[in-house]
């Protein structure tokens, strides 16, 4: 592959149960975005990458950041990920929790979740009196929430606005059907939106837009979608990985020498069979409720019983705040944050 390029996988350091917060001080996704921002305009809202990681990224007049949804460090061993794996430069920590909307809000703002305020995929928002599915910006039951001001949900200025103010044009390249969604309005305020409709389109649009003095952010959802729909052992997943691998390879071959191409992810995947999935009942949380699910559970109430039932670890709020990152905290953080977190053992989900 020609040109300047590097790939950073995203994953958590973990044993049977994750007990160490992600790194926000130089070895995380937020620091990668801060590094790019500083390279372009000479300042950044967060701490840059540690020197050893920063040294892996060549300087460029233009930066193209490709985010492969769901392509964490653990997925690079797939048989269809050969070009991706050969470009791997280092491993970064995803912000907490390791889910798409939390990480994409970190990309869009250059801030950790503690500061941008999207602290969960299923986010308790007392200002609208419901848990919000932040992918669709609906209730957990799919009902629209008219009270959310999507364009002002994230802090101002965001990453796109900061670089634009200094003469760098920010462009986001997304599947074309994402253009008018609530999540797009939330994440990409201040950036030019360009849609693509095929593999060829994604490569060609990105190549044509990568002119000097620009920041181009390309989002590839296929690996994540296939993992959720069919699992990582499926033919659909292999096809999606092959597509991601080809996009990466072709970008490396076609982008000019003035471009620094960076690949990363928002999170990885763990397949969990149906027999290891459990339903939370009222006895688990008493009079409280849950605002996040999967392998990490945000409990508004007392989560000790839930942790005991599933062999997990309960960490009350006083011991869990640093998982979302350092201050200064978003103005809504205290109201949105749970009373504590339950971390489940490997292979268990609710």
């Amino acid at each position: 592959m020609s040109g300047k390029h590097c790939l950073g996988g995203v994953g958590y350091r973990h044993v049977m149960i994750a007990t160490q917060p992600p790194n926000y001080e130089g070895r995380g996704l937020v620091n990668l975005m801060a590094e790019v921002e500083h390279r372009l305009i000479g300042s950044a809202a967060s701490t840059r990458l540690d020197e050893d990681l920063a040294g892996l990224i060549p300087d460029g007049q233009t930066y193209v950041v490709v985010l492969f949804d769901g392509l964490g460090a653990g997925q690079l061993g797939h048989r269809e990920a050969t070009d991706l794996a050969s470009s791997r430069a280092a491993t970064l920590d995803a912000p907490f929790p390791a889910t798409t909307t939390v990480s994409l809000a970190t990309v869009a703002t250059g801030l950790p979740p503690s500061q941008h305020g999207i602290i969960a995929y299923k986010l308790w928002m007392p200002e609208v009196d419901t848990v919000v599915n932040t992918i669709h910006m609906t209730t957990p039951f799919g009902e629209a929430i008219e009270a959310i001001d999507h364009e002002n949900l994230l802090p101002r200025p965001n990453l796109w606005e900061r670089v634009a103010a200094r003469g760098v044009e920010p462009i986001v390249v997304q599947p074309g059907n994402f253009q008018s969604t609530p999540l797009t309005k939330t994440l990409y305020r201040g950036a030019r939106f360009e849609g693509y409709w095929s593999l060829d389109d994604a490569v060609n649009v990105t190549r044509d837009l990568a002119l000097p003095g620009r920041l181009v952010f390309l989002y590839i959802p296929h690996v994540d979608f296939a993992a959720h729909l069919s699992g990582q052992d499926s033919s659909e997943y292999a096809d999606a990985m092959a597509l991601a691998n080809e996009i990466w390879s072709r970008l490396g071959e076609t982008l000019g020498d003035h471009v620094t191409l960076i690949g990363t992810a928002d999170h990885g995947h763990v397949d969990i069979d149906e027999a290891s999935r459990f339903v939370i009942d009222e006895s688990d949380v008493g009079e409280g409720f849950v605002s996040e699910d999967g392998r990490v559970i945000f409990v508004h109430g007392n989560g000790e019983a839930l942790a005991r039932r599933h062999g997990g670890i309960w960490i009350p709020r006083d011991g869990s705040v640093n998982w979302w990152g350092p201050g200064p905290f978003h103005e809504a953080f205290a109201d949105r944050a749970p009373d504590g977190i339950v971390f489940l053992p490997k292979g268990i989900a609710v």
Side-chain angles (χ1 to χ4, degrees):
M1 299 168 68
S2 62
K4 299 176 289 187
H5 58 275
C6 58
L7 183 80
V10 170
Y12 272 145
R13 302 180 302 276
H14 66 278
V15 286
M16 288 301 290
I17 300 177
T19 56
Q20 182 173 332
N23 186 300
Y24 297 104
E25 301 301 325
R27 310 192 76 82
L29 181 61
V30 65
N31 311 116
L32 172 64
M33 299 313 299
E35 184 67 31
V36 172
E37 180 179 4
H38 194 279
R39 299 270 187 107
L40 287 167
I41 66 172
S43 61
S46 296
T47 303
R48 298 168 65 184
L49 286 172
D50 285 350
E51 186 175 350
D52 63 318
L53 296 181
L56 299 171
I57 303 176
D59 288 324
Q61 299 176 47
T62 297
Y63 287 81
V64 173
V65 178
V66 186
L67 189 140
F68 296 96
D69 198 334
L71 185 59
Q75 281 65 56
L76 289 175
H78 193 278
R79 66 183 184 277
E80 297 290 352
T82 52
D83 291 318
L84 290 160
S86 67
S87 298
R88 181 176 180 173
T91 299
L92 304 175
D93 280 2
F96 174 80
T99 189
T100 297
T101 51
V102 175
S103 287
L104 288 183
T106 287
V107 169
T109 60
L111 299 171
S114 55
Q115 296 177 34
H116 64 58
I118 305 298
I119 63 170
Y121 154 52
K122 292 184 178 177
L123 175 65
W124 166 241
M125 292 182 64
E127 58 265 46
V128 294
D129 195 32
T130 188
V131 174
V132 177
N133 177 321
T134 56
I135 291 284
H136 303 292
M137 296 295 173
T138 64
T139 71
F141 308 102
E143 301 159 339
I145 305 173
E146 301 297 337
I148 297 178
D149 181 1
H150 304 294
E151 292 188 0
N152 290 298
L153 190 57
L154 291 175
R156 291 179 179 269
N158 62 20
L159 172 65
W160 324 116
E161 292 164 334
R162 291 194 299 271
V163 300
R166 300 290 295 275
V168 175
E169 183 178 9
I171 304 173
V172 297
V173 182
Q174 309 272 310
N177 59 318
F178 286 11
Q179 182 164 8
S180 299
T181 65
L183 184 58
T184 292
K185 293 176 182 178
T186 298
L187 294 172
Y188 303 119
R189 182 190 70 224
R192 170 181 165 187
F193 183 99
E194 291 289 340
Y196 69 84
W197 302 95
S198 67
L199 182 155
D200 288 341
D201 213 15
V203 173
N204 294 337
V205 168
T206 302
R207 178 200 62 210
D208 294 345
L209 291 172
L211 301 177
R214 286 178 170 175
L215 169 59
V216 180
F217 176 67
L218 171 62
Y219 173 72
I220 307 296
H222 304 72
V223 171
D224 181 73
F225 183 80
H228 282 297
L229 186 67
S230 305
Q232 296 178 89
D233 293 329
S234 66
S235 60
E236 292 84 358
Y237 185 84
D239 291 343
M241 186 67 78
L243 181 145
N245 192 75
E246 184 173 352
I247 288 174
W248 177 251
S249 177
R250 287 174 57 181
L251 286 172
E253 293 168 352
T254 60
L255 291 175
D257 290 340
H258 67 286
V259 177
T260 295
L261 172 64
I262 301 170
T264 191
D266 51 352
H267 61 80
H269 272 278
V270 177
D271 286 343
I272 297 176
D273 62 47
E274 291 300 322
S276 298
R277 297 174 182 268
F278 300 91
V279 176
I280 295 175
D281 60 37
E282 291 182 1
S283 65
D284 282 328
V285 294
E287 296 181 356
F289 64 94
V290 166
S291 63
E292 185 65 80
D293 60 7
R295 295 197 59 232
V296 59
I297 306 163
F298 295 175
V299 181
H300 300 260
N302 191 322
E304 291 179 352
L306 191 153
R308 284 196 304 269
R309 179 185 178 197
H310 299 295
I313 294 176
W314 163 246
I315 303 180
R317 181 188 282 214
D318 288 348
S320 63
V321 169
N322 61 339
W323 280 80
W324 286 282
F329 291 93
H330 186 274
E331 61 184 6
F333 178 85
D335 292 330
R336 294 176 182 174
D339 293 310
I341 307 168
V342 172
F343 290 92
L344 295 176
K346 183 177 180 180
I348 301 296
V350 298

